[in-house]
Amino acid sequence: MSVESIIEAAKQSIIDIDEEKAASVARQALEEGLNPVQVLTEGYSAGIREVGELFSRGEVFLPELILSAEAMKAATEILESAITGAAAEKIGKMIFATVEGDVHDIGKSIAIALIQTQGVEVIDLGRDVPVDKIIEAAEEHGARVIGTSALLTTTMPNQEKLEKALRERGLRDKYKTIIGGAPCTQRWADKIGADAYAEDAGEGVTKVLELMKA
Amino acid sequence: MSEFFTRMGDGAGVYMTAEEIREDILKGVKDAADRGKVPELTQEEMDYLYQIITMPGNIVGVERGREVVSTSDSGSCKITYHANIAMERSMAVLVSEKVLGADSVDIGNMDYSYKAVKQIVHNETPVMELAQLNAVMPVLYGSMPNLGLYTKPDGPVENWSELLPLAKISEARAAQEEAVEHAVRDIVFVAGEMYEAGADGINLDTCGASGDADFLAGLLATEKIKEKYPDLGVEFGAAGEFVLGMHGKLEYDGTKIAGLYPHKQVKLAEKAGANIFGAVVNTNTNMSFPWNIARTVTFLKACTAVATIPVHVNVGMGVGGIPMSEIPPIDVVTRADKALIEIGKADGL
């Protein structure tokens, strides 16, 4: 098979939610000496982004999205072994929480499911999480990125509170912060001093990977 | 080049040129038509929408004779928590009617969920009775199906939000199906008590907030309420512009519920026996008001075109073209209202 057809098969296996095919394409890619990073980014990651887009349009549903992420995980494990030559290593740790006073976590769960497929270890603190607990967890786990979600205009100020608390404790430069949730915007991120804003789960994946490299 | 003041979806003020506004209107229309697979607005309608957006004056109004009714979900609480004026709920109903000019409101509890309300329904019925004695307008009782409250540790069924990330799909689906049964029972129980207290109707607010199972619970409860209490009106309000597929396979009357947009949601509400459908279109905080309202009107027009029951579109913070800010700016609220009524053919707000 050509490089293009293997990459297309990798992408399609995720869209078709075919875990077995995703794994077999990954093995075939390695046998034929393809660059695993290319297969991962142009094939599987493109597939999961497309599934994410279909989900945001109501054409694919949460169970399918989760199963697609599982198929991606199976392929990623095979490719990562080849990339590192050993057991797959995570590219970094991230703390993720819905801020205090806010109990909405569907969006956060979707974002986490997708981010995890990219080799990021995500520590999910759940919902209604106070700022102090978020910072403690980041320190404890040695996280690089802190992500917070807020679905309410009344709970958004807790994202600003996190930024202030990090500055007051002299920890602001130690972490990269990313915010999301329906009422959040890039303007809000700029105003409070967050490092990044993501409109949806798909963009969250891209932004988190950028922050991990920064 | 002259510019017009308008808003972004998060309420931020912005100046746009005529060309930018027209471009955003077109993009919003096309986005709705593409996602919902519904017809685009005509050029004439888009031109009129442009006129509404750029009309001088801080507020605008509908043409004489095109006024529609207005209602307010959890209306009896809103004076208290929006205006910060502590007021007993039956009193708030009267203020809504006689001072604010509401055509109907619903009485709701602060814990705005049928599961929470069933425990205290004996405290809720006297409020309804008192309001019915004094108000002329229809007074409904409202709450959300809120299926998430039936999951552990708050309720009896397994938590699908925990099961789904573990890829335990069948277990997550079974939990949702079980929760539907509990929710329907609670909704019908509260509806019965409110019927006895003289309620004019039941508002099933935000059906689908926990996904397609939540929406199904609303439909099944509507069916049972209409069987038991044919005179009791049911307002069936949606939660979003499409039904989120948390389960993904649930059907009602042979139609898969997940992914349905307003023009298809309303048909299921009709089949279940609802008297009013509350259509919802979400506001995108990153896009402009012209984009958001054009999109909303496109979805709504398709919905009202097929509906055989009145459609009362949700026009509040973060829905119906209204920015997602704590105090919706009046300069865009009245423009949204006018567009939804005159172009979208809303029967009520």
Side-chain angles (χ1 to χ4, degrees):
Chain A
M1 282 175 88
S2 66
V3 176
E4 290 76 19
S5 53
I6 287 182
I7 286 174
E8 182 55 32
K11 181 182 170 185
Q12 203 56 45
S13 69
I14 301 301
I15 296 168
D16 294 343
I17 318 172
D18 191 337
E19 187 171 338
E20 217 167 277
K21 188 180 167 195
S24 72
V25 170
R27 280 191 288 271
Q28 190 182 356
L30 294 180
E31 281 165 16
E32 299 197 13
L34 267 62
N35 179 350
V37 176
Q38 185 188 10
V39 178
L40 198 57
T41 53
E42 294 177 20
Y44 295 108
S45 294
I48 204 82
R49 280 196 297 273
E50 188 161 330
V51 172
E53 172 61 18
L54 291 170
F55 175 78
S56 75
R57 298 165 62 92
E59 292 177 28
V60 158
F61 311 121
L62 197 54
E64 287 93 335
L65 183 71
I66 298 290
L67 291 174
S68 291
E70 287 293 305
M72 172 116 185
K73 207 188 290 177
T76 307
E77 280 170 8
I78 293 167
L79 294 173
E80 276 183 344
S81 302
I83 296 167
T84 61
E89 286 179 10
K90 298 294 180 187
I91 60 173
K93 288 184 182 176
M94 174 183 187
I95 297 293
F96 214 140
T98 301
V99 295
E100 188 171 13
D102 205 322
V103 295
H104 300 86
D105 66 355
I106 293 175
K108 175 174 69 62
S109 299
I110 295 164
I112 288 173
L114 296 189
I115 292 167
Q116 281 174 333
T117 65
Q118 308 293 314
V120 177
E121 185 179 342
V122 184
I123 294 108
D124 182 4
L125 300 182
R127 54 196 187 180
D128 193 14
V129 185
V131 163
D132 286 345
K133 194 176 168 189
I134 294 173
I135 296 175
E136 279 166 24
E139 289 286 281
E140 183 190 336
H141 293 280
R144 176 74 184 123
V145 177
I146 300 174
T148 53
S149 171
L151 199 84
L152 305 171
T153 52
T154 50
T155 58
M156 283 165 70
N158 284 319
Q159 293 175 323
E160 186 174 22
K161 202 171 151 189
L162 172 67
E163 298 293 333
K164 280 183 185 165
L166 286 171
R167 282 195 293 273
E168 283 165 8
R169 296 178 200 190
L171 296 171
R172 186 60 191 87
D173 294 337
K174 189 173 174 182
Y175 301 105
K176 295 291 179 187
T177 57
I178 181 167
I179 62 163
C184 302
T185 60
Q186 184 62 53
R187 283 181 299 285
W188 173 241
D190 294 342
K191 186 179 172 189
I192 66 173
D195 293 303
Y197 156 74
E199 185 175 358
D200 54 32
E203 193 179 40
V205 172
T206 310
K207 294 280 181 74
V208 167
L209 291 178
E210 285 170 6
L211 292 177
M212 284 288 174
K213 288 175 195 161
Chain B
M1 187 182 290
S2 64
E3 291 186 326
F4 299 90
F5 177 79
T6 185
R7 302 271 177 180
M8 296 299 289
D10 64 351
V14 62
Y15 284 92
M16 296 177 74
T17 64
E19 193 179 34
E20 287 168 341
I21 291 171
R22 285 190 184 280
E23 194 179 322
D24 271 12
I25 289 173
L26 183 62
K27 283 181 182 169
V29 166
K30 285 192 175 297
D31 188 71
D34 178 43
R35 285 171 185 265
K37 297 175 180 58
V38 295
E40 294 181 10
L41 295 184
T42 63
Q43 188 57 51
E44 190 182 350
E45 287 166 334
M46 285 192 279
D47 289 342
Y48 188 49
L49 184 55
Y50 170 82
Q51 275 182 41
I52 292 173
I53 292 167
T54 58
M55 273 175 180
N58 216 22
I59 60 172
V60 301
V62 293
E63 290 169 10
R64 184 180 294 277
R66 300 194 70 172
E67 298 87 352
V68 300
V69 294
S70 71
T71 185
S72 182
D73 50 7
S74 67
S76 59
C77 299
K78 284 183 174 168
I79 295 174
T80 297
Y81 65 68
H82 282 318
N84 212 11
I85 303 169
M87 192 179 289
E88 194 274 322
R89 286 178 292 162
S90 60
M91 176 82 72
V93 167
L94 297 180
V95 171
S96 296
E97 178 186 70
K98 299 178 193 305
V99 180
L100 302 177
D103 298 298
S104 82
V105 295
D106 76 39
I107 292 174
N109 189 271
M110 274 295 175
D111 288 330
Y112 198 57
S113 305
Y114 284 101
K115 177 173 179 273
V117 167
K118 76 172 174 184
Q119 322 281 356
I120 53 162
V121 73
H122 53 280
N123 290 334
E124 296 294 279
T125 48
V127 180
M128 175 60 74
E129 286 165 12
L130 194 55
Q132 290 291 347
L133 284 173
N134 293 307
V136 177
M137 66 179 178
V139 179
L140 287 69
Y141 191 82
S143 272
M144 296 166 63
N146 217 347
L147 224 57
L149 286 183
Y150 294 92
T151 60
K152 291 177 182 175
D154 304 315
V157 311
E158 296 300 326
N159 192 331
W160 52 86
S161 289
E162 290 174 0
L163 293 169
L164 282 169
L166 299 173
K168 293 184 176 176
I169 307 297
S170 56
E171 292 90 336
R173 283 182 169 144
Q176 291 175 68
E177 288 161 21
E178 191 185 338
V180 169
E181 292 173 22
H182 292 296
V184 171
R185 189 185 58 239
D186 289 349
I187 295 168
V188 175
F189 168 71
V190 172
E193 295 296 304
M194 285 299 157
Y195 178 73
E196 296 298 333
D200 295 291
I202 287 291
N203 181 17
L204 302 183
D205 195 355
T206 332
C207 293
S210 299
D212 45 348
D214 195 291
F215 199 89
L216 178 63
L219 292 170
L220 295 174
T222 301
E223 258 185 16
K224 286 190 188 301
I225 290 169
K226 298 305 285 189
E227 273 171 28
K228 292 181 84 168
Y229 317 103
D231 299 338
L232 188 64
V234 175
E235 181 166 2
F236 187 98
E241 66 193 32
F242 69 83
V243 183
L244 185 68
M246 289 287 278
H247 184 291
K249 287 190 172 174
L250 292 172
E251 293 185 355
Y252 180 75
D253 199 36
T255 302
K256 186 188 272 192
I257 296 170
L260 294 183
Y261 280 83
H263 63 294
K264 292 189 175 168
Q265 294 172 15
V266 69
K267 300 313 287 181
L268 296 192
E270 280 172 8
K271 275 183 187 165
N275 301 88
I276 299 170
F277 175 68
V280 169
V281 179
N282 305 93
T283 295
N284 184 326
T285 51
N286 290 290
M287 304 302 282
S288 69
F289 172 69
W291 185 90
N292 277 303
I293 191 62
R295 193 171 174 278
T296 304
V297 170
T298 307
F299 277 127
L300 181 65
K301 187 187 161 201
C303 179
T304 53
V306 297
T308 56
I309 57 175
V311 176
H312 290 191
V313 62
N314 282 257
V315 199
M317 182 183 74
V319 292
I322 306 299
M324 191 178 279
S325 55
E326 281 186 63
I327 308 293
I330 194 69
D331 46 71
V332 289
V333 169
T334 58
R335 287 170 215 279
D337 295 345
K338 184 174 173 68
L340 293 167
I341 295 164
E342 294 184 352
I343 307 173
K345 307 288 189 285
D347 300 293
L349 302 175

